[in-house]
Amino acid sequence: MTSAATNLLTSLTEAFEFSRNAAAAIPMAKYMKNNFPFLGLPQPVRKALSKEFLQDAKKLDAEDVLAMANKLWKKKEREYQYVAIELLIAGRKKWDEQFLTRFLEMITEKSWWDSVDFIAVRLLGPYFAAGGGPATLQSWLESDNIWQNRTALIFQLSYKEKTDLRFLQKAIKQLKYKDEFFVQKAIGWSLRQYHRIDPDWVAALVEKEGLKGLAKREALKHA
């Protein structure tokens, strides 16, 4: 990592540590089921403190961006993982296969819905928008990892009319029997999103696949 990247990361860390709020960190961690410690930085504060860092990071090369993202991801407090994702989004013009590899790895590292959904929709979704997503995520439909399952269901959330319906239907067909909240919620979420485009298609799929419970409620929430 170059000295420029090291200095940027040091400045960000110092700003975050200076603004640490132990009292605020307790309910933030509790909201995430105490899976991760927090610095106690509400989103507006985190965004303000990291704004300059993200702007300056755009001037760095791909290797520095990935290196900084990796170092941020390894830090204990959850706010650093959020900034790592925002850093990778800011570096979108530099994306290549090494970025894709890292995106896929991050799904199964320090996994919880807050990071997985962010990565799936804001990183993998745009990366795969030009094609290739279903082929890459095919194996994730059969995975025992629920976060890989969830990602395969929701990475297309922003695709609208360009949604690969064949893959979405296949994903739902394979995962509908999985008795796992985050998977069932993702099935419903993916269909609820596409309901805005074609409510008849969604209603027909819900009936055809015999969706029930949470998946069905979420899918037809706005019907």
Side-chain angles (χ1 to χ4, degrees):
M1 195 162 71
T2 63
S3 59
T6 299
N7 291 338
L8 273 181
L9 196 55
T10 298
S11 295
L12 176 74
T13 303
E14 290 176 349
F16 272 22
E17 293 296 334
F18 180 80
S19 301
R20 181 188 286 269
N21 185 330
I26 295 173
M28 292 172 75
K30 186 176 181 180
Y31 182 67
M32 291 298 166
K33 305 295 184 182
N34 292 311
N35 284 305
F36 315 98
F38 278 76
L39 291 166
L41 306 180
Q43 180 172 302
V45 174
R46 187 189 84 237
K47 293 275 192 180
L49 291 174
S50 62
K51 183 178 180 180
E52 186 174 346
F53 166 80
L54 294 173
Q55 289 176 339
D56 289 342
K58 291 180 181 180
K59 304 171 187 175
L60 301 177
D61 62 22
E63 287 69 26
D64 271 343
V65 171
L66 278 172
M68 288 196 299
N70 289 340
K71 285 185 176 295
L72 287 166
W73 199 262
K74 291 177 182 178
K75 289 182 177 293
K76 291 189 303 180
E77 292 85 1
R78 196 58 165 169
E79 289 92 340
Y80 288 116
Q81 280 97 65
Y82 298 154
V83 176
I85 298 171
E86 291 165 347
L87 170 62
L88 292 170
I89 292 172
R92 181 171 178 173
K93 291 182 179 180
K94 303 177 178 69
W95 288 359
D96 56 20
E97 289 188 4
Q98 64 179 335
F99 279 82
L100 173 60
T101 298
R102 189 65 188 117
F103 299 164
L104 295 171
E105 291 171 346
M106 288 163 64
I107 292 293
T108 55
E109 296 174 0
K110 300 187 177 182
S111 308
W112 198 240
W113 64 263
D114 58 334
S115 61
V116 169
D117 293 358
F118 205 179
I119 296 164
V121 179
R122 297 294 304 281
L123 294 176
L124 288 173
Y127 190 97
F128 288 140
T136 301
L137 300 183
Q138 178 62 50
S139 64
W140 286 20
L141 301 180
E142 301 171 4
S143 173
D144 292 331
N145 186 297
I146 64 169
W147 303 113
Q148 290 181 329
N149 298 157
R150 184 173 172 92
T151 298
L153 287 161
I154 67 171
F155 79 95
Q156 298 189 85
L157 284 183
S158 64
Y159 283 19
K160 300 181 180 179
E161 293 88 351
K162 295 181 179 179
T163 300
D164 184 337
L165 296 179
R166 181 178 296 180
F167 181 80
L168 178 59
Q169 184 170 354
K170 183 176 184 178
I172 291 170
K173 190 177 188 68
Q174 286 192 229
L175 294 169
K176 66 182 180 181
Y177 298 111
K178 197 159 215 177
D179 186 19
E180 164 56 54
F181 173 83
F182 288 109
V183 174
Q184 292 297 315
K185 182 83 171 181
I187 290 172
W189 189 12
S190 64
L191 290 174
R192 185 177 80 234
Q193 192 76 355
Y194 195 69
H195 188 277
R196 305 169 188 267
I197 306 301
D198 191 342
D200 292 338
W201 185 89
V202 171
L205 183 67
V206 168
E207 182 175 356
K208 179 180 179 181
E209 298 298 336
L211 298 185
K212 300 176 182 179
L214 177 61
K216 181 177 181 179
R217 290 197 302 274
E218 286 293 320
L220 302 179
K221 190 172 184 177
H222 301 305

